[in-house]
Amino acid sequence: MALGDAILVCLTERPMTGYELAKTFDSSIGFFWKADHQQIYRELTRLRERGHVQAREVVQSGKPNKLVYTLTTEGRAALRHWAARPSSPPSIKDDMLVRLCALDAVDMEPMRADLMARLEHHRDRLSRYERVLKKRFPNGAESLDDTGKLLALHLGLRHERAVVEWCEEALQTLQPSGAGNVTPIGEVQREGKG
């Protein structure tokens, strides 16, 4: 997926300024596709050059004028073409998982600190997803558009819960006590069920 495709998806909701698009990335699409504000503004320029979006200048008093972007007919066609192609399953590139493959050659305390930070990060994201679920979908999906967003959110919730559980298991397994600072994983799983 290219950033331009994600921007076209955002603009299916309503016309937006570059700032509004950036905020949308921060609070929804950005959960699944990362982009900083500068990347979004650069891509908007490319989309205009391709004829996929048009911009209408809105005059503001006391502030700089703003551009409001909308999808063009060509942009909607490009979005449909992109959405019709098969998706590619994401690949995992995670330096922590690579470090775990050399656990006997790394210091345990920095590894545990990294796991704690990862745990807090994913707990925070899980909490954010739960707030979005309660705020935006208190009655579930009320339209086809809502259904797509809700399905994506449900996968995000499941992913974050799984990573939280995995971090907790890893931290319990790599406790700072005993022989080699490691509790056998089978024992961790039995203790958790008992």
Side-chain angles (χ1 to χ4, degrees):
M1 180 166 100
L3 175 56
D5 299 316
I7 290 172
L8 295 178
V9 167
C10 288
L11 289 174
T12 63
E13 289 185 28
R14 62 182 167 79
M16 291 187 217
T17 65
Y19 177 78
E20 290 168 329
L21 279 163
K23 296 302 279 181
T24 299
F25 265 78
D26 290 344
S27 65
S28 65
I29 293 283
F31 293 145
F32 309 109
W33 189 263
K34 290 288 178 210
D36 64 38
H37 295 205
Q38 291 176 341
Q39 290 172 309
I40 291 168
Y41 283 104
R42 281 193 303 268
E43 190 61 31
L44 281 167
T45 300
R46 289 186 198 108
L47 289 169
R48 278 180 79 183
E49 290 169 356
R50 287 187 209 127
H52 293 174
V53 300
Q54 61 187 13
R56 178 178 50 88
E57 187 171 23
V58 175
V59 178
Q60 303 185 104
S61 65
K63 296 190 256 184
N65 294 345
K66 63 182 180 180
L67 295 176
V68 178
Y69 296 91
T70 57
L71 280 174
T72 63
T73 302
E74 293 83 4
R76 288 189 184 280
L79 177 62
R80 280 192 302 278
H81 177 73
W82 166 76
R85 292 192 316 247
S87 63
S88 300
S91 60
I92 296 175
K93 290 173 68 174
D94 190 329
D95 58 344
M96 177 184 287
L97 297 179
V98 174
R99 283 185 229 146
L100 285 172
C101 293
L103 199 55
D104 61 344
V106 299
D107 293 328
M108 195 61 64
E109 280 315 303
M111 177 63 75
R112 285 183 50 78
D114 197 13
L115 280 164
M116 284 298 299
R118 178 86 53 112
L119 175 61
E120 291 309 311
H121 170 80
H122 288 283
R123 281 180 176 161
D124 179 61
R125 284 181 64 116
L126 178 58
S127 176
R128 288 177 66 194
Y129 287 0
E130 288 169 341
R131 285 192 306 269
V132 169
L133 181 64
K134 287 177 186 167
K135 182 177 178 182
R136 286 196 65 189
F137 304 103
N139 303 316
E142 296 179 357
S143 68
L144 187 58
D145 193 45
D146 279 356
T147 299
K149 290 179 173 93
L150 195 53
L151 284 168
L153 183 59
H154 280 187
L155 181 59
L157 283 160
R158 287 181 181 136
H159 172 77
E160 296 307 325
R161 282 188 194 112
V163 176
V164 164
E165 290 173 11
W166 177 83
C167 287
E168 290 169 344
E169 176 188 10
L171 284 164
Q172 189 174 2
T173 301
L174 303 176
Q175 293 179 42
S177 61
N181 297 338
V182 174
T183 301
I185 290 178
E187 288 180 25
V188 170
Q189 290 171 341
R190 281 193 297 275
E191 288 171 13
K193 291 181 181 177

